[in-house]
Amino acid sequence: MNSVVIESPARWRQLDKLPIGLFGSVMGLTGLSIAWRLAHAHFGAPAWIADGIGVVAIAAFVAISLGYAVKLATAPDAVRDEFHHPIAGSLFGTLLISILLLPIIIAPVNVFLARVLWAIGAITMNAFGWLMISRWMSDRQQAAHATPTWIVPLVGLLDVPLAVPSLGLPTVIYASVHQLMVLDLAVGLFFAIPLFTMIFSRLLFDAPLPDALQATLLILVVPFSVGFSTYTVTTGATDIFAQALYLLSLFVLAVLLGRLRHLGRCCPFKLAWWSVSFPLASASIAALHYAEAISGPIADALALALLALATVVIAGLLVRTLMGLLRGELRTLSA
């Protein structure tokens, strides 16, 4: 009896290495579900694909949330250190972004729950964005810490407006919410520009990122791909600025895909590789929105290609992660 009591906490204690950034997998899966929903509307793809991926995204969110709650209860110092870490601290935004994106796939089933989740996500994301920008402006930062993960809080602000069209808000409430949408669009894009510049400068003049973190470079695509989607949702127009954001996201994606083509051979699989999932999903979402607004075979072909790429990559990441967790490799994969 005593051995059971002693061993059980040790087993739970294994979760002290569960990284907050693993919520990036929820972002990727949710984004992929949204992309397939758009593919259903534009190309007539089977609706069950989007629904099935959405169920997996919700299950992943619940599982990771429970795991991280255990980590908070059993290893609060590890959570505190992670939050105050100059690089990993930004990844707490992945939890909040997940809460902002999930309402899009929940709304058709339960719009009240979707509204509640979105409200929680919008409030906490704005508070977190304010906190992170204040931290950067209040303390002296080291150039080595300027990595793509710094962009996550700003991406979170850009994600705030995305679920609003799905919520069916009354006109009176929407008028106020629209002001928040404009604010988050402005702050997200404005602060993403200097951060992108600093990170680009660091990549030019400092030592390259470690092999295991090369995947995080794809995060640099997101301010432009999500910025495009957010701009069109907020303004209701696919004007020249929106088109510029979309085409810029394609250019950055083309550059970074070349950098990542050797990722599978350079180092063992790490959970940090999930950082490629949402950039690819957001790029496919932007491409599908663009194809809907700008009809043409090239736009359609590009949207299908990006959707196929995102689907294959995210499916591979999911299978490899589940295999690793079943083998008890959480500590190794999180290193």
Side-chain angles (χ1 to χ4, degrees), residues 53-116:
I53 298 172
V55 170
V56 175
I58 293 171
F61 178 77
V62 172
I64 298 170
S65 296
L66 290 175
Y68 207 82
V70 172
K71 176 178 177 177
L72 180 61
T74 59
D77 290 342
V79 175
R80 188 180 304 110
D81 292 343
E82 193 172 17
F83 183 77
H84 290 290
H85 192 278
I87 298 176
S90 297
L91 293 176
F92 278 81
T94 59
L95 166 60
L96 306 180
I97 295 172
S98 299
I99 296 174
L100 285 169
L101 295 177
L102 285 172
I104 300 176
I105 61 178
I106 293 175
V109 179
N110 190 324
V111 71
F112 175 77
L113 177 59
R115 290 175 178 177
V116 171

Side-chain angles (χ1 to χ4, degrees), residues 141 150 185 257 324:
Q141 306 297 321
W150 274 18
L185 172 65
L257 279 178

Side-chain angles (χ1 to χ4, degrees), residues 110-334:
N110 190 324
V111 71
F112 175 77
L113 177 59
R115 290 175 178 177
V116 171
L117 280 177
W118 181 84
I120 294 171
I123 293 170
T124 54
M125 190 68 248
N126 276 275
F128 182 70
W130 173 86
L131 176 64
M132 296 305 298
I133 293 173
S134 298
R135 178 190 295 184
W136 294 330
M137 296 180 68
S138 300
D139 301 324
R140 183 177 181 180
Q141 306 297 321
Q142 298 182 28
H145 295 158
T147 62
T149 57
W150 274 18
I151 290 181
V152 170
L154 304 179
V155 170
L157 293 175
L158 290 173
D159 281 319
V160 169
L162 295 180
V164 172
S166 304
L167 303 178
L169 298 174
T171 303
V172 176
I173 296 177
Y174 179 80
S176 299
V177 169
H178 189 263
Q179 293 300 306
L180 178 64
M181 294 166 66
V182 174
L183 170 66
D184 288 332
L185 172 65
V187 174
L189 287 179
F190 178 83
F191 282 96
I193 293 172
L195 281 183
F196 184 95
T197 304
M198 285 189 292
I199 296 166
F200 185 65
S201 175
R202 192 245 172 169
L203 294 173
L204 284 176
F205 301 113
D206 287 355
L209 294 176
D211 288 340
L213 294 181
Q214 286 291 316
T216 63
L217 286 172
L218 224 62
I219 297 175
L220 296 176
V221 174
V222 181
F224 309 110
S225 58
V226 174
F228 165 80
S229 297
T230 301
Y231 181 84
T232 56
V233 164
T234 304
T235 65
T238 307
D239 55 22
I240 189 67
F241 181 70
Q243 294 177 47
L245 285 173
Y246 170 67
L247 295 174
L248 184 55
S249 72
L250 292 183
F251 180 82
V252 177
L253 178 62
V255 171
L256 294 177
L257 279 178
R259 291 283 300 273
L260 297 176
R261 65 184 183 276
H262 300 305
L263 185 62
R265 297 193 295 270
C266 73
C267 55
F269 174 76
K270 300 293 181 184
L271 294 179
W273 289 19
W274 271 104
S275 58
V276 309
S277 64
F278 186 65
L280 292 176
S282 67
S284 64
I285 292 172
L288 286 158
H289 277 304
Y290 188 82
E292 183 69 26
I294 310 294
S295 300
I298 296 178
D300 287 347
L302 189 55
L304 288 172
L306 288 175
L307 179 61
L309 176 62
T311 302
V312 170
V313 171
I314 292 174
L317 291 171
L318 180 62
V319 170
R320 181 61 183 87
T321 300
L322 291 176
M323 289 173 56
L325 294 178
L326 290 174
R327 294 171 182 168
E329 298 175 349
L330 178 59
R331 290 180 179 273
T332 302
L333 299 180
S334 303

Side-chain angles (χ1 to χ4, degrees), residues 14 25 34 36 114 148 179 205 328:
Q14 295 176 8
S25 63
I34 297 168
W36 273 100
Q179 293 300 306
F205 301 113

